[in-house]
């Protein structure tokens, strides 16, 4: 390594008053900074300029990246640092350094390397060497750029030729497709004209069919009206036939009863003739007489209608108890009519539960059959209700009201059975009364349930 005293002595020697008339080319400047950065490893911290000591511990690449400007300024202003870098260059590339100092750089040497060495070593005429090397480097760069441009131009020409050929091919293909599309459009136009003609013929046929359909509908309406009239006549005849059949059946039953009575009378006559045998056998006399077979109301007998004539108020719960005390009594309740009379502010579910609990207690007390009917025509889904013991719970079907279901229940019962219907609906009460049931107001049932 060069002696620092020699560098200092060389720095005190006068240098030729030479300078550059233009900035260093960028490649030359970068090479100079790299040479100075490589020299850091052979210099101590004291030998480095103060502005460069912070980069001493950097890696060479980071040193060049972050301290390039500071290194370039130090090379330009600090002759001692520049000479130390020159000494490092002499050790690394002695042949190039000697040729540059002698003013005879090798012709085959890289102009950038020659210019960087001349800038660092500063031999006589170094400025010209740097300028000449910079020009050579610029010329080489321009030549490389020109070659690159030629290659790029050739590539672009090839691409242009390929694109031209492709465009020609695409143009031919598109012309062929256009011709095919024109033919297809002509065919579509022909089909469209044919379809329009078909549509017009179809519209005419449709109008004719509609006219025929209107005629058929009119004939069907007339036939339906005639059939409805015939059906009404047939229903009237059927009703007459059913009435005649019922009369015939009643006559048969009455005739059978008379024959039984006559047979019994004949038997009594035979038995009276055999008095000795009766006395011997000790048989009791016959108690049944023909007059007893005639169906009539005997004095003192009570019917469901007779119970209401006792000295009780129309809404007295005791009247309901008397009705339910009749043998085989059946209580039919219009559920919502009762609940909306007694507790209308409660939700429907709670109304049903309260009424059914009261009816269960009443059924346990009286032993009567009880059926509670609710209107299910407006229900979106079946109601989940567990009927209490002794109470039958029914909902009307969609399209049917609870009143209609109550009338069906009344018609299903045999004539003569005690049947009580609880509803404040006058139409329901009148209808069930005509069918033989005893209507009772909802208020009476509510008063009776209040006592349970």
């Amino acid at each position: 390594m060069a002696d620092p005293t020699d560098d200092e002595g060389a720095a005190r020697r006068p240098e030729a008053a030479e300078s550059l008339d233009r900035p260093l080319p960028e490649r030359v400047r970068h090479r100079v900074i790299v040479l100075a950065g490589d020299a850091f490893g052979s210099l101590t911290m004291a030998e480095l300029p103060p502005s460069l000591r912070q980069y001493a511990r950097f890696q060479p690449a980071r040193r060049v990246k972050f301290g390039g400007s500071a290194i370039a300024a130090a090379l330009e202003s600090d002759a001692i640092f520049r000479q130390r870098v020159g000494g490092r260059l002499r050790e690394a590339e002695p042949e190039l350094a000697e040729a540059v100092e002698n003013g005879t750089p090798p012709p085959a040497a890289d102009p950038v390397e020659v210019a960087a060495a001349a800038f660092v070593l500063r031999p006589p005429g170094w400025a010209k060497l740097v300028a000449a090397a910079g020009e050579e480097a610029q010329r080489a760069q321009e030549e490389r750029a020109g070659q690159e441009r030629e290659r790029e131009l050739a590539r672009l020409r090839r691409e242009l030729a390929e694109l031209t050929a492709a465009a020609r091919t695409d143009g031919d293909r598109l012309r062929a497709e256009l011709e095919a599309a024109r033919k297809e459009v002509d065919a579509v136009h022909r089909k469209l004209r044919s379809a329009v003609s078909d549509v017009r013929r179809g519209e005419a046929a449709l109008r004719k069919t509609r006219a025929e359909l209107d005629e058929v509908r009119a004939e069907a309406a007339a036939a339906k009206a005639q059939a409805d009239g015939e059906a009404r006549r047939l229903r009237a005849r059927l009703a007459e036939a059913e009435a005649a059949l019922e009369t015939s059946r009643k006559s048969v039953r009455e005739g059978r009863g008379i024959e039984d009575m006559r047979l019994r009378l004949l038997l009594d006559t035979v038995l009276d003739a055999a008095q000795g045998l009766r006395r011997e056998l000790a048989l009791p006399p016959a108690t049944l007489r023909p007059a007893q077979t005639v169906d009539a109301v005997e004095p003192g007998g009570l019917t469901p209608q007779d119970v209401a004539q006792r000295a009780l108020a129309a809404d007295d719960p005791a009247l309901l108890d008397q009705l339910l005390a009749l043998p085989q009594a059946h209580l039919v309740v219009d559920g919502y009519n009762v609940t909306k009379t007694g507790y209308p502010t409660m939700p429907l579910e709670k109304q049903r539960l309260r009424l059914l609990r009261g009816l269960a207690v009443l059924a346990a007390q009286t032993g009567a059959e009880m059926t509670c009917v609710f209107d299910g025509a407006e229900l979106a889904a079946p109601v989940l209700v567990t009927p209490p013991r002794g109470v039958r719970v029914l909902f009307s079907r969609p399209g049917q009201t609870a009143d209609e279901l109550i009338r069906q229940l009344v018609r299903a019962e045999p004539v003569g059975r005690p049947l009580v219907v609880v509803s404040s609906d006058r139409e329901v009460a009148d209808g069930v009364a005509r069918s033989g049931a005893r209507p009772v107001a909802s208020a009476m049932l509510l008063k009776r349930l209040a006592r349970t």
Side-chain angles (χ1 to χ4, degrees):
M1 185 172 65
D3 189 355
T5 58
D6 294 341
D7 294 337
E8 293 175 359
R12 287 190 292 271
R13 291 194 298 271
E15 293 183 350
E18 297 184 19
S19 61
L20 296 174
D21 57 353
R22 67 186 67 177
L24 284 174
E26 183 60 30
R27 295 181 60 197
V28 176
R29 179 179 179 277
H30 182 265
R31 181 57 184 164
V32 169
I33 294 173
V34 170
L35 291 175
D38 293 341
F40 271 53
S42 60
L43 300 177
T44 63
M45 191 67 70
E47 292 174 341
L48 290 174
S51 61
L52 301 182
R53 291 174 183 174
Q54 58 179 329
Y55 306 108
R57 293 184 177 84
F58 283 27
Q59 295 293 330
R62 297 184 72 249
R63 188 182 301 138
V64 172
K65 180 179 179 180
F66 295 103
S69 299
I71 293 174
L75 287 172
E76 183 65 31
S77 60
D78 194 334
I80 296 176
F81 174 64
R82 185 173 60 251
Q83 290 175 3
R84 288 171 178 166
V85 174
R88 178 71 178 81
L89 177 62
R90 292 188 188 94
E91 293 178 0
E93 301 181 15
E95 296 179 357
L96 177 61
E98 182 179 358
V100 171
E101 288 181 335
N102 293 334
T104 57
D110 188 353
V112 175
E113 296 287 342
V114 172
F119 180 81
V120 173
L121 298 175
R122 302 262 174 125
W126 66 273
K128 294 181 180 180
L129 285 176
V130 172
E135 291 176 358
E136 182 65 21
Q138 185 68 23
R139 185 184 61 77
Q141 183 177 358
E142 291 177 356
E143 287 181 357
R144 285 192 295 273
Q147 294 174 358
E148 184 66 25
R149 286 194 296 272
E150 289 293 334
R151 288 194 294 271
E152 182 68 16
L153 180 60
R155 183 183 65 79
L156 292 176
R157 285 175 178 172
R158 288 195 300 273
E159 291 182 358
L160 179 60
E162 293 174 357
L163 292 174
T164 302
R168 188 178 298 109
T169 303
D170 291 343
D172 295 340
R173 178 178 58 79
L174 291 175
R175 281 191 292 273
E177 291 179 356
L178 179 60
E179 185 63 26
R182 286 176 178 172
K183 294 179 180 179
E184 185 176 356
V185 168
D186 293 339
V188 170
H189 284 167
R190 289 193 296 272
K191 291 181 180 179
L192 179 60
R193 288 192 293 270
S194 176
V196 170
S197 300
D198 293 341
V199 168
R200 290 174 179 172
R201 288 194 296 272
E203 289 177 349
L206 179 60
R207 288 192 295 270
K208 181 179 178 181
T209 303
R210 285 178 176 173
E212 294 176 354
L213 180 60
D214 292 339
E215 294 177 359
V216 171
R217 285 177 176 173
E219 294 176 358
K224 182 177 181 298
Q226 183 178 359
D228 291 341
E230 185 66 23
R232 285 192 296 271
R233 287 192 297 272
L234 291 176
R235 281 195 293 269
R237 293 179 61 185
L238 178 60
E240 294 175 358
E242 289 177 350
L245 178 60
E246 182 64 24
T247 303
S248 176
R249 287 176 177 175
K250 186 175 181 180
S251 299
V252 169
R253 287 195 298 270
E254 292 177 353
R256 184 179 300 170
I258 294 173
E259 292 297 328
D260 291 343
M261 180 270 296
R262 289 177 178 177
L263 180 60
R264 182 58 183 267
L265 181 59
L266 178 61
L267 180 60
D268 288 342
T269 304
V270 173
L271 290 176
D272 289 340
Q275 293 180 2
L277 182 62
R278 279 203 310 271
R279 286 193 299 269
E280 183 178 354
L281 296 178
L283 294 176
T287 60
L288 182 63
R289 291 294 181 266
Q292 294 176 341
T293 62
V294 178
D295 187 13
V297 178
E298 297 181 359
L302 293 179
T303 64
Q305 287 74 15
D306 297 330
V307 175
Q309 296 176 1
R310 293 186 176 182
L312 295 175
D315 59 349
D316 192 341
L319 178 59
L320 182 60
D321 288 337
Q322 293 179 5
L323 292 172
L324 297 180
L326 295 173
Q328 299 296 323
H330 184 188
L331 180 68
V332 179
V333 181
D334 187 353
Y336 286 140
N337 187 277
V338 175
T339 59
K340 292 180 180 179
T341 302
Y343 17 90
T345 59
M346 298 176 63
L348 290 180
E349 181 180 1
K350 293 185 177 180
Q351 290 182 19
R352 291 194 297 267
L353 293 176
R354 181 171 177 179
L355 175 60
L356 293 178
R357 283 197 296 266
L359 291 177
V361 175
L362 183 60
Q365 293 174 350
T366 62
E369 179 183 358
M370 294 194 181
T371 301
C372 187
V373 179
F374 292 104
D375 192 355
E378 299 180 356
L379 294 178
V383 178
L384 300 179
V385 176
T386 302
R389 185 180 182 87
V391 181
R392 181 186 299 107
V393 179
L394 299 178
F395 285 89
S396 62
R397 297 181 181 275
Q400 181 188 42
T401 64
D403 299 346
E404 296 173 353
L405 181 56
I406 291 173
R407 295 189 186 96
Q408 291 181 7
L409 291 171
V410 172
R411 288 194 298 269
E413 293 293 342
V415 177
R417 182 183 182 184
L419 184 61
V420 182
V421 177
V422 179
S423 177
S424 295
D425 191 330
R426 176 52 56 188
E427 184 179 355
V428 174
D430 294 342
V432 299
R434 286 192 297 269
S435 299
R438 174 65 166 88
V440 172
S442 298
M444 181 187 294
L445 177 61
L446 291 170
K447 290 181 178 180
R448 179 60 182 85
L449 295 180
R451 289 166 40 189
T452 58

